[in-house]
Amino acid sequence: MTSPSTNPDGPLRIGVICHPTYGGSGVVASELALSLAEVGHEVHLFSHEVPPRLARSPGRVLMHRAQGVPYPLFHSTPHDLAITSAILDVHRASGLDILHAHYALPHAVSAYLARSAARADDPARAPRMVTTLHGTDITLVGNDPSYAPLTQFVIRSSDAVTAVSHWLAGETAEKFGLSARTHCAVEVIHNFVDTEWFSPNAGASRHPCSLRTGPTAVHVSNFRPVKRTPWLVRAFAKAVGGRAANLVLVGDGPDQPACRELVRELGLNDRVTFLGERDALPELLAPACVFVLTSSSESFGLSALEAMSCGTPVVATRAGGVAEVVEHGVSGLLSDIDDLDGFAANLSALLFDRDRARTMGENARRQAVERFARERIVERYVALYRCVLARPVPVS
Ligand code: GMT
């Protein structure tokens, strides 16, 4: 493969670093890696496990599962150091042009270390470092005093920084004191969806609620407190008020036991289904009447976009960047974060007015295709990589 210095439009060698857990940042990173490989770039993905979206695909991404070795002196095995070593190994063997870290911690730290080591070997060959901020790496974890100085340092040290929404870019600038004058500006590149895979035609025959009466709402998340799934169960109970309707909860995480208990308490056992973690998302999203999201903070809401792409309208709280994805009154209905009555009224409106839900679902699909289709957004990342590579080699 020729280097970008000899062919500025040629294929790039890209290292993507991400979390392998069920969660938006790992999904975006895996889908991006697969899309980049599909158009001819050489893509390496570094993580301590194979991310589920990569595992289900035959795409030509070179997976490096770096786990490190346990040692009695370590409290826990430092995967991030093993990942850094794996990146360096690949770079020394075949050369990497770009390291793309998804979620600031610890991946931007690994990218920074690998870039520093590569610069010590040969500054002209060292990869450039792009960091994509996803959400809680800025709003909760990265901003915690125990990590904030390092988060700020790696963001400022990146060759380019992107955020998945304007809202998150604003939060980053405010919390970490970035100024376009002294540091690279945070570029907003919204998340994307594969509109062919997440399609309104995704099979409905085996949907878990196909044997039940009444319309169905679906929610997908990792059940962390920020998703407020118990709040969702309460809002659902209020929205249906004893009428026949169903709630399907997909995913797993810390708040799932509390949700199960609440469902029992509210007598909703026949109406709420816990499916756990699933890969067959289009088949679960497309037949639903409405997708629900009740987060207290949400930088983008990838699962809402995937539902929209399936032609399913969204009822959500107006948290963070959600309003950049869901247009109130057009592709769904939004309410204030603590307005349980408002959320329940919106949910009730779309569950029990099929014509309104259908119209909003059609709008949602159209907006997903027009604004968030995979190909166009992936091109923006490639343009950013090329822009970063066109800059002179840094002196230090
Ligand atoms: O930041 C997180 O909470 C983790 C991350 C993930 O890996 O699930 O989610 C964030 O990144 C997604 C992909 O960019 C966004 O769609 C989610 O809105 C965002 N989550 C939050 O902001 C809570």
Side-chain angles (χ1 to χ4, degrees):
M1 188 173 270
T2 53
S3 86
S5 53
T6 48
N7 179 7
D9 296 323
L12 301 172
R13 295 161 301 189
I14 303 158
V16 172
I17 314 147
C18 70
H19 289 293
T21 39
Y22 279 87
S25 63
V27 170
V28 171
S30 305
E31 295 287 354
L32 176 61
L34 288 162
S35 306
L36 291 166
E38 208 176 291
V39 293
H41 302 288
E42 178 181 310
V43 186
H44 299 259
L45 195 142
F46 300 90
S47 194
H48 62 88
E49 286 294 351
V50 184
R53 283 283 169 103
L54 189 68
R56 62 162 284 282
S57 162
R60 213 188 159 282
V61 169
L62 307 167
M63 177 71 211
H64 303 269
R65 184 165 157 266
Q67 295 200 315
V69 285
Y71 189 69
L73 272 184
F74 296 148
H75 175 61
S76 60
T77 308
H79 301 305
D80 32 347
L81 298 185
I83 286 171
T84 310
S85 279
I87 298 169
L88 200 51
D89 200 37
V90 169
H91 175 67
R92 284 178 175 158
S94 47
L96 288 168
D97 303 310
I98 292 287
L99 299 179
H100 190 165
H102 287 263
Y103 206 86
L105 295 180
H107 301 135
V109 180
S110 292
Y112 174 84
L113 285 175
R115 187 189 64 179
S116 303
R119 277 186 183 165
D121 289 349
D122 177 356
R125 277 189 75 240
R128 307 295 167 95
M129 168 187 173
V130 174
T131 300
T132 289
L133 306 171
H134 281 273
T136 53
D137 47 352
I138 294 303
T139 57
L140 290 177
V141 187
N143 190 37
D144 185 272
S146 57
Y147 297 123
L150 184 59
T151 311
Q152 183 187 54
F153 175 74
V154 288
I155 291 174
R156 289 180 173 193
S157 305
S158 300
D159 295 299
V161 180
T162 77
V164 299
S165 63
H166 292 282
W167 176 83
L168 185 62
E171 289 290 294
T172 307
E174 190 189 311
K175 289 187 167 48
F176 293 105
L178 299 186
S179 96
R181 210 164 25 85
T182 47
H183 313 99
C184 61
V186 178
E187 181 166 341
V188 176
I189 302 186
H190 281 136
N191 287 331
F192 59 90
V193 62
D194 179 341
T195 54
E196 279 176 31
W197 184 34
F198 284 87
S199 138
N201 303 323
S205 54
R206 286 179 300 149
H207 193 268
C209 288
S210 57
L211 298 177
R212 289 195 178 156
T213 53
T216 296
V218 65
H219 169 81
V220 181
S221 80
N222 41 25
F223 284 69
R224 282 172 302 156
V226 74
K227 303 289 177 179
R228 298 196 307 175
T229 40
W231 196 93
L232 168 60
V233 171
R234 284 188 198 288
F236 173 75
K238 189 155 203 152
V240 299
R243 288 171 290 181
N246 311 292
L247 175 64
V248 174
L249 297 169
V250 184
D252 206 344
D255 274 352
Q256 216 211 55
C259 284
R260 284 184 186 276
E261 200 174 319
L262 193 57
V263 164
R264 275 191 294 271
E265 229 175 74
L266 296 170
L268 291 171
N269 281 334
D270 293 345
R271 288 294 168 190
V272 181
T273 308
F274 291 86
L275 284 188
E277 287 173 349
R278 294 302 172 101
D279 289 332
L281 291 179
E283 289 85 346
L284 292 167
L285 294 170
C289 257
V290 55
F291 179 86
V292 278
L293 189 64
T294 49
S295 310
S296 54
S297 172
E298 194 71 64
S299 66
F300 183 88
L302 182 65
S303 50
L305 174 60
E306 291 178 336
M308 286 168 59
S309 184
C310 290
T312 303
V314 176
V315 168
T317 44
R318 203 178 275 107
V322 170
E324 294 172 42
V325 185
V326 181
E327 192 179 346
H328 177 68
V330 177
S331 53
L333 295 172
L334 301 176
S335 52
D336 289 342
I337 289 170
D338 289 319
D339 183 5
L340 191 126
D341 289 346
F343 184 94
N346 288 342
L347 177 55
S348 173
L350 290 199
L351 274 176
F352 299 108
D353 183 344
R354 298 303 290 265
D355 289 342
R356 193 171 177 206
R358 196 169 300 117
T359 305
M360 285 196 175
E362 285 163 8
N363 295 340
R365 168 70 186 175
R366 197 181 51 253
Q367 293 204 342
V369 171
E370 286 174 4
R371 297 177 53 215
F372 301 105
R374 178 174 74 128
E375 298 69 20
R376 209 153 51 87
I377 304 244
V378 170
E379 273 171 22
R380 290 204 48 207
Y381 279 113
V382 175
L384 179 68
Y385 299 157
R386 294 202 191 282
C387 172
V388 158
L389 285 165
R391 292 187 205 144
V393 174
V395 271
S396 61

